[in-house]
Amino acid sequence: MTDNKSRGWIEVICGPMFSGKTEELIRRLVRAQIAKKNVFIFKHSTDNRYSEDYIVSHNKNKIKCHSITRSEQIIDFSKDIDILGIDETQFFDSTIIETCNTLANKGKRVIIAGLDRDYKAIPFGPMASLLTHADYITKLNAICMVCGNQASFSQRLTDEKNQILVGESEKYEARCRDCFKP
Ligand code: ADP
Ligand code: MG
Ligand code: ZN
């Protein structure tokens, strides 16, 4: 275990909706499985768009996962795990930050994906903090559905006001800075 200690770190994959965060998370986790690592995958159960038991990307890639609501559940599961993936990390409360640090300090590779900004373009849940704690950061762009440029904002298409509104292309689209209407 001490041998393993220096090998832990935190990777964050962020960006707006449709930017390929889930796809990139699945890509990294599949490679870890090919390397015969013990991989465990979580998502916040608020995201029930396709399935409770799978993380599914918009282009229908999928990988089996555990749906959870509290970050302590990750610690419970993670004893013999080398690599953890967490999707929809923006839905967890701030205790996820300590959880990720604890696991990285124990020598685990923690890969988290989530929306860095909500539909008002303000930092979403624990994501801003997690970016400061991260060892590696990947910020992805989508394609603006209005003009075709690089998009880093998630435009809500309905007038619902709560921060959490789970939905797909019927409720959101990716927009660039010019086309985004907060
Ligand atoms: P995220 O997890 O960031 O919401 P996914 O990984 O689930 O994104 O999906 C990415 C895929 O979504 C892309 O590979 C592409 O097939 C599809 N897609 C749909 N709309 C867009 C868009 N506006 N920009 C980029 N990709 C899009
Ligand atoms: Mg996703
Ligand atoms: Zn645009």
Side-chain angles (χ1 to χ4, degrees), residues 15-24 49-50 56-59 87-88 115 140-145 151 173-174:
M17 288 186 70
F18 307 102
S19 61
K21 301 180 299 298
T22 299
E23 223 179 290
E24 177 60 19
R49 283 173 299 179
Y50 300 98
V56 186
S57 70
H58 290 110
N59 58 357
D87 202 7
E88 306 295 345
L115 291 163
L140 300 171
N141 286 315
I143 301 298
C144 176
M145 294 304 281
E173 68 186 23

Side-chain angles (χ1 to χ4, degrees), residues 144-151 174-180:
C144 176
M145 294 304 281
V146 176
C147 74
N149 283 330
Q150 299 275 345
R175 296 272 181 97
C176 72
R177 189 176 287 276
D178 288 343
C179 300
F180 175 66

Side-chain angles (χ1 to χ4, degrees), residues 82-105:
D82 308 309
I83 300 179
L84 291 100
I86 310 172
D87 202 7
E88 306 295 345
T89 311
Q90 74 277 357
F91 293 142
F92 287 93
D93 66 28
S94 59
T95 59
I96 191 80
I97 299 158
E98 196 187 332
T99 300
C100 291
N101 273 317
T102 301
L103 293 165
N105 292 343

Side-chain angles (χ1 to χ4, degrees), residues 14-17 21 90 114-125 127-128 131 139-141 150-156 163 172 175-177 180:
C14 67
M17 288 186 70
K21 301 180 299 298
Q90 74 277 357
L115 291 163
D116 46 349
R117 294 188 283 198
D118 68 6
Y119 78 102
K120 292 179 176 166
I122 60 171
F124 207 145
M127 289 300 291
L131 285 162
K139 180 150 177 165
L140 300 171
N141 286 315
Q150 299 275 345
S152 57
F153 294 83
S154 304
Q155 179 74 52
R156 186 175 285 184
Q163 186 186 41
Y172 294 96
R175 296 272 181 97
C176 72
R177 189 176 287 276
F180 175 66

